Every structure is written in structure tokens, then in C-alpha cells.
Amino acid sequence: MTFVLTMGAAVVPPFFLIAFFLTHFRHRLGLGLGAKAVIGGMVSAPLAIGFSVLLARLGFPTEGLWGAASKAWMGAAIPEEVAKFLIVWFYIRRHPQCDSAGDLFCGSVLVGLGFALLENLLYLLSSDNWMMTGFMRGAMAVPGHTIDGMMMGVFLAWWWRKDILAPAALVLALGLPIMAHGFYDFPLMALDSFEEASFVDPLAVRHMLFALFVVTVVVSATAAIWAGRMEMINVFLRALPDIDLHAPSPAGLKLWRWIGRAMMVGAAALGLMGVNKAMQVDPLEGGWLMVIALFPAAFGKIMTLRVPEQASGFLSPWGRKPRG
């Protein structure tokens, strides 16, 4: 029974977001290509492990803050984001069903979710506390990989539409996810291996690392909402929309809006619990609860975004102007 619950806790968060992006964009990215993108993301995980092993041979520091930084970027951010980018660029982009900028955006997101799916399974199956690990990863790590995929996908979509020159688009599509991923992992890894004897004022260092993590999560959550608005809302207002762009199903939009509202309410409740704990018990512990609420709140907001009614005058498959 425990194994079944662990598997459920591992697969539900990524499949929940996979379902959202596939149903919202089901006329832009077919189910077949969507499934292949998720599988491609899972394939990118062992590829990333291979890259990290090669980078480890270069002999980067392993102790202290420099060790945490090398693990964050050389052991995780760079190999993982490069592996995901290679799957998108050399497989998704060249797939016969990939014929629009929206396909690249959705494909990038689903590759990130495929990676998160396999990583989640590995973490939870090896954890002594699958409930806590599943909750933390479902609220933070899975959305984090999704946000990295969204940032990658936005700039690849702009490259496809020729809204931005190729060198800049590719640098941003790979560089920004690497930076976001590294700044997310670094403070967590530094705090996990923290040695108070190495610092004159260890509490101040802990607070600085926590502040860096908070800023990273806030910026990443904001970037997720921005990327969602650019490719899920503003794309309908373009003079030359994607060739396979259709408004999502009105019934589907309504369902996801209710789910999004519920997520924002839950995130707000968690945040208020954090405020209460910060004021009455421990500011740092309360701060962690408030930070954990940010990614669910951001994706709740994305799910409530409304497709504009003045969407370039094109019709949805249901014979009406797209509505929110």
C-alpha cells in the first residue's frame, strides 16, 4: 500500500500540470507529440547524469559555499537544462508534427515535466518520508522544472516567429533556465551542507542564503505568469497567429479556472499560516511556509487567465469567438 501511495504522490503533480498544458493547447500540440515530449523529458534525465559526471571530472570544489555553487550549477542546472534543451532542439523541433511556435513552447514545457516526472519517482522511491518529500517536490521542484521549460519555450517560440534574432533567442532559451535553476538549487544546497564553524556570523549567512532563495522563487513565479500570459493569452492577439492556433474549449477553461482559484486559496491559506508562525514561533520557519506557497499561487493564477474576446477575429472549433 505504501508503494502505491508513494507512486501516486510522485506522478500526480507532474501529470496534473501535463494535463493542464495538453488540454489548454490540445489544438496546438497533438496528444502524440505531447506524449513524446514527456518521454523525451524522461530520456533527458540520464543524459543529464552523464553530463554531470563529465563536468565532475573537471575537479570543481566540493566543500563550503563554493562546493554548493559547483553542485548547483555544474552538477544540476547546466547538465539538466542542456539535456532538456537538446531534446527540444534536436527532437521536438524536427518532429513532423512540430509546425508552429506554440508547438515549441508546449514541447519545451512538457519536456521539463517529463524530466520532473522521472526525478520525482527516483526521489520519492528512495525517501524515508515520502509524504513530506512528495509535498515539497509537488509544491516546489515540479513547478520549478515547469517554469524552466516555460522560459525556454517562450524564447524558442519567439525565434520561430522571428520576433528575436537566433543567437539572442538561443542564449536566452538556454541561459535563463540555467540561471534560474542554479539560483534555486544553490541556497538549498548551501543550507543543507552548512557548517557554522566556517563563518563568524553563521546566522547572518543563513539569512542571506534564505533571502537569495526567496528572491529566486519570487522572480521565477513572476516569470511563469509572464510566460503563460505571453503564450496562452497575448498570442491570440497577434496579427499573424500560429497556423494551428485555436481557442481552448470553453468548458475546459471554466474547469481550470475553478481549479486555479482553489489553488490560489490554498496557497493563500498556507501563506497566512507562515505569517502566523513567523510572528509567534520562528520567523525562518514561517518564511519557508510563505515561500512554498508561491509556485502553487503562480500556477493557480496562470489557470485563471482569460483568453481575450477580441482574439484576432478567429473562431474556436466550437463555432464561437474564444471566451474566458
Side-chain angles (χ1 to χ4, degrees):
M1 186 62 179
T2 301
F3 175 78
V4 174
L5 292 173
T6 303
M7 291 289 291
V11 303
V12 166
F15 270 116
F16 172 71
L17 290 177
I18 289 169
F20 170 65
F21 283 99
L22 273 181
T23 56
H24 195 287
F25 287 111
R26 66 181 185 172
H27 292 280
R28 294 176 70 183
L29 188 75
L31 181 60
L33 182 55
K36 291 173 183 176
V38 173
I39 294 171
M42 298 177 73
V43 171
S44 71
L47 185 62
I49 293 173
F51 289 157
S52 65
V53 170
L54 290 176
L55 288 173
R57 292 175 180 249
L58 298 178
F60 292 101
T62 58
E63 303 294 334
L65 292 181
W66 284 111
S70 68
K71 291 175 185 176
W73 272 281
M74 301 301 171
I78 292 176
E80 290 179 15
E81 298 308 324
V82 167
K84 289 185 278 188
F85 180 84
L86 291 177
I87 294 295
V88 175
W89 188 255
F90 289 106
Y91 180 63
I92 303 300
R93 180 181 65 93
R94 295 184 175 186
H95 196 280
Q97 294 178 15
C98 182
D99 56 9
S100 71
D103 288 342
L104 270 182
F105 173 76
C106 299
S108 300
V109 174
L110 293 177
V111 166
L113 279 164
F115 186 99
L117 173 60
L118 181 59
E119 188 181 65
N120 232 28
L121 284 167
L122 295 176
Y123 268 93
L124 265 69
L125 290 175
S126 61
S127 174
D128 294 329
N129 188 346
W130 63 268
M131 291 183 65
M132 181 57 67
T133 303
F135 171 75
M136 291 297 296
R137 290 194 58 81
M140 300 296 294
V142 173
H145 281 294
T146 309
I147 293 171
D148 293 338
M150 293 173 74
M151 287 193 288
M152 185 181 295
V154 163
F155 292 104
L156 290 178
W158 287 3
W159 163 81
W160 184 286
R161 300 189 189 106
K162 298 182 172 55
D163 291 339
I164 187 172
L165 296 177
L170 299 183
V171 168
L172 290 170
L174 183 57
L176 287 183
I178 287 175
M179 294 301 293
H181 195 150
F183 277 113
Y184 176 95
D185 281 351
F186 165 63
L188 294 178
M189 292 180 175
L191 287 168
D192 187 54
S193 60
F194 196 81
E195 295 181 4
E196 295 192 359
S198 302
F199 303 98
V200 176
D201 190 351
L203 184 60
V205 177
R206 284 184 180 275
H207 286 167
M208 284 189 291
L209 290 171
F210 178 70
L212 176 61
F213 182 71
V214 171
V215 170
T216 301
V217 174
V218 169
V219 171
S220 297
T222 305
I225 297 171
W226 170 80
R229 183 170 293 279
M230 293 301 298
E231 285 299 319
M232 297 166 63
I233 303 301
N234 292 351
V235 69
F236 286 95
L237 302 176
R238 294 179 57 86
L240 296 173
D242 291 348
I243 61 173
D244 57 358
L245 184 61
H246 296 274
S249 160
L253 285 179
K254 186 175 182 180
L255 172 63
W256 285 115
R257 279 204 307 274
W258 279 108
I259 294 174
R261 291 181 186 121
M263 289 177 63
M264 288 192 290
V265 169
L270 185 61
L272 289 174
M273 288 173 56
V275 171
N276 181 63
K277 183 158 286 191
M279 294 177 63
Q280 298 188 10
V281 183
D282 181 1
L284 199 57
E285 187 175 345
W288 280 111
L289 285 177
M290 288 185 275
V291 174
I292 292 170
L294 288 174
F295 281 171
F299 279 93
K301 175 62 177 177
I302 290 169
M303 291 173 188
T304 63
L305 294 176
R306 292 177 175 269
V307 176
E309 295 193 31
Q310 68 273 29
S312 302
F314 75 121
L315 296 178
S316 76
W318 297 269
R320 69 190 75 173
K321 286 285 190 66
R323 296 177 61 87

